[in-house]
Amino acid sequence: MKLSLALKVFVSLSLLIFILIKVDLKSLYSVAAALNPGLLLLAAAAMIATFFLDAASIFILVRAMGKNIRYLKLFRYYIYSWAAGLLLPGKAGDLLLVPLLKKDNVAAGESLSILAVNKITALLLTALIAMAGTYLYFGTKAFLALLSILAGIILLGALGFSEYARRLIRKYLLRSYAVHFKGFAKSIYWLLRERKQAVAGNGLRGILKILVGGFFPFLLFYAIGVPAGYWELL
């Protein structure tokens, strides 16, 4: 355990020293000196606001499941998962929410369905923005090509939720772990059929997060004296 920690510290210090050797410190200092602290604070505020909005998405869907968990507790859970995501590959840190929510009587299948609905919503919103940007900057042909790709992805995703596909996944992929996913698909269907308002509310929250999050790079560019268009960055 101590050897592992010492190795991590050694590697981290070695990388830091390497970066300091390679970076032009004078140029870095001149850029830092020219930064606008007020705009930096606003950019940080925009980033922090997205954390609260992400926690709100979990809150909306958890409440839709009939679970009475306070928002501030869910915000704390989200921060834990976000911090874990900094150390783990991809978005694996989000899965930390499953054991955390289990402490508040949210079953693993329900927690995973909440994460899935949240990610699907974010994916659809991102796809819409990508399609709009593709049409504006690359023309109709590129837009139609992207639309075809997205339609194929949606079709594959829908097929993945079919009873036959779920049976294959349980039998050949999950196997003995399938018990941990009990109620996953059923909870997603239930949310989409019975809690449409909550799902729509989560979608509006997602739009707001994208708009607020767009201010983070926008303000950072202005902080270093480089004007940039908000909608182009978005």
Side-chain angles (χ1 to χ4, degrees):
M1 186 74 172
K2 290 182 179 179
L3 180 62
S4 176
L5 179 60
L7 182 60
K8 290 179 180 178
V9 172
F10 173 75
V11 172
S12 300
L13 288 175
S14 299
L15 287 172
L16 180 60
I17 292 170
F18 176 78
I19 292 171
L20 290 176
I21 291 173
K22 292 295 182 180
V23 170
D24 185 349
L25 294 179
K26 288 185 178 180
S27 299
L28 187 63
Y29 175 77
S30 63
V31 171
L35 289 174
N36 185 317
L39 291 177
L40 278 179
L41 287 174
L42 288 175
M47 176 60 72
I48 293 170
T50 62
F51 293 164
F52 283 97
L53 289 168
D54 277 334
S57 71
I58 302 168
F59 178 74
I60 291 169
L61 297 175
V62 165
R63 283 298 183 96
M65 286 284 190
K67 311 296 182 180
N68 189 20
I69 306 176
R70 290 181 295 108
Y71 171 78
L72 290 178
K73 177 182 278 193
L74 290 172
F75 179 76
R76 189 170 72 249
Y77 288 170
Y78 169 75
I79 293 298
Y80 291 157
S81 69
W82 175 81
L86 297 177
L87 304 174
L88 298 173
K91 289 289 187 178
D94 291 346
L95 296 176
L96 181 62
L97 286 168
V98 176
L100 291 174
L101 290 173
K102 194 173 182 180
K103 297 192 299 183
D104 291 282
N105 299 317
V106 182
E110 293 176 332
S111 299
L112 289 169
S113 70
I114 288 170
L115 293 177
V117 170
N118 198 28
K119 295 303 179 185
I120 291 170
T121 302
L123 178 62
L124 290 175
L125 291 174
T126 304
L128 289 174
I129 293 174
M131 288 168 62
T134 301
Y135 180 76
L136 289 173
Y137 293 103
F138 299 102
T140 306
K141 288 185 178 179
F143 169 79
L144 292 175
L146 179 60
L147 181 62
S148 300
I149 293 171
L150 292 174
I153 293 173
I154 292 171
L155 180 60
L156 287 175
L159 291 174
F161 276 96
S162 67
E163 180 59 35
Y164 178 72
R166 285 188 285 131
R167 189 162 57 247
L168 289 178
I169 291 170
R170 285 196 298 267
K171 184 176 180 179
Y172 295 106
L173 293 179
L174 298 178
R175 298 183 180 180
S176 60
Y177 295 99
V179 66
H180 300 294
F181 291 83
K182 185 178 180 180
F184 171 67
K186 186 182 293 184
S187 296
I188 290 180
Y189 290 139
W190 186 81
L191 278 172
L192 295 176
R193 284 197 307 262
E194 305 297 333
R195 292 293 183 267
K196 296 183 181 70
Q197 289 184 336
V199 174
N202 187 46
L204 291 174
R205 187 276 329 164
I207 294 172
L208 183 59
K209 182 202 169 181
I210 291 171
L211 294 175
V212 172
F215 280 104
F216 178 68
F218 174 74
L219 292 168
L220 278 183
F221 274 108
Y222 268 86
I224 62 176
V226 180
Y230 171 78
W231 294 109
E232 285 76 8
L233 290 171
L234 194 64

